[in-house]
Amino acid sequence: MPLTMDTLVSLSKRRGFVFQSSEIYGGTGSVWDYGPLGVELKQNIKRLWWRDFVQMRPDMVGLDAAILMHPTVWRASGHVEQFTDPMVDCRDCQHRFRADHVDARPWIHFCPATKGNKFEIPASEACPRCGARRTLCPDCGKGELTAARQFNLMFKTFMGPVEDDAAVTYLRPETAQAMFVNFDNVLQSMRLKLPFGIAQVGRSFRNEITPGNFIFRTREFEQMEIEYFVNPHEQVEGRPADEYWHDRWIGDCMGWFRRYGLREENLRLRWHEQDELAHYAKRTVDIEYRFPIGWSELMGIANRTDYDLKQHAKFSGKTLTYFDEERKDHVVPYVIEPAAGVDRALLAFLADAYQEEEVRGEKRVVLRFHPELAPVKVAVLPLLKKRDEIVRTAHAIRSELAKRWRVVYDDTAAIGRLYRRQDEVGTPYCVTVDVQTVGDRDKGEAGDGRVTIRDRDSMQQIRVSTGELVRVFEDLLSGEAWTAVAARFGGATTASAGA
Ligand code: GAP
């Protein structure tokens, strides 16, 4: 059965990934809170992105700018004038829609051919009984829609104590502009040479008209953006530098999503048509993912040319150029912008990891997260919670491993159920402490100090001494294959029934 968004919403709530914001008050429209496991997953996504695209690269630096910026930033960037969507309202139920999205919704129809009975007709189809097409509100089927009006997506707020127009400012709708505004600060303070990039991870806000689809389109979200500045007069491998770097970034971003588990068949590139390009863009490509709602944008990679630096130079009166030593000339760099959404990446990783399978006649839900993404890396489980020594040993192992990784202890169910719970949240490894580990003092039997490590994906097990656990998890969690590690311990065994 194809995966639905409802399945992900329900798993996310049940297992502490994502909750509706202010749920006890009826919820806030299209704003979501990340629960205990969601916050770990989200932090892992941001940490890996930062590690791979900033920390590991000599040509990248970071920035953490304020959300509230000078209001002129948004006039210079074009957001005050152009960051709008056409909006229509229903005169009856007051529901609001994006004019260009109304026809993509199923619609309510009171069919005259059946004495006005109410039907839901699939998006953009005619009523099969009377042949009518939608003209009224798709939600209530009664109200007329207003003519389209342009609606600015920026959230307005007021700075300072006086609520007058002079104090109006905006919550940033993208993190990008802070990188342009700080271009000269970063260039001078870090003595950078082109090409170089500035990266930022942070919150953005958009008063989307028709948000929805869980965390796919929300009003408050996080972005991971890079502005990569190149010298437009340079050639790289026989091509203009901006075109060369645009393609390099497309490849690097696709590679990043594949590396952390998104399957090839669920990823594709979509080039923007000339008439759909943003006003600043020379060429834009979206990386699309096959979400449960269909193929949709996961991130965009635009060639923004020198538009932004020139605009900010014009509006601020400051020089935003780079001195090209070779040509002895000041140039305005071109910008390649890989712009990703953290929440959308999380949704894609969650959807791709989700699998249902049958194990010994029972349904198993498993999130096959890449180990570096998994919210919890190891769960330590005592086989018998009534045996003090087993429990003590399990707690001691958890404390030791928790110095390095997110590790949990759980003794609230039988072992089979504990394994299933960890599978369902994507924990790649469980460690089980049993009687053999600690021995039986009453019977004068010594323990062997070994514990069982169980692999989430194969459900195979190996026995390892407690002193070796840190080394083993260093190898497993840094990407060494389970089979290779298991071979060092005499090979894995298949778990007994229930495990
Ligand atoms: N600076 C360029 C920029 O912001 P964008 O395509 O509007 O470009 C980049 O946004 C990415 O941010 C998108 O590909 C998406 O992943 C994420 N994003 C944008 N709007 C969003 C929203 N309302 N909810 C969740 N994510 C969003």
Side-chain angles (χ1 to χ4, degrees), residues 30 79 83 173-177 180 204-208 211-212 214-227 272 280 284 286-287 291 297-302 304 337-345:
S30 290
H79 282 82
F83 197 53
E174 62 174 18
T175 58
Q177 295 304 321
F180 302 128
S204 295
F205 303 82
R206 295 182 190 178
N207 198 2
E208 302 276 4
F214 193 30
I215 52 172
F216 179 81
R217 190 181 303 286
T218 54
R219 294 194 164 107
E220 176 176 346
F221 54 99
E222 277 192 271
Q223 290 185 306
M224 308 184 281
E225 292 199 288
I226 291 168
E227 305 305 328
H272 284 209
Y280 51 73
T284 297
D286 286 344
I287 294 183
F291 288 97
E297 177 186 335
L298 173 57
M299 73 172 291
I301 305 155
R304 295 180 74 121
E337 180 192 64
V342 181
D343 312 74
R344 232 173 251 191

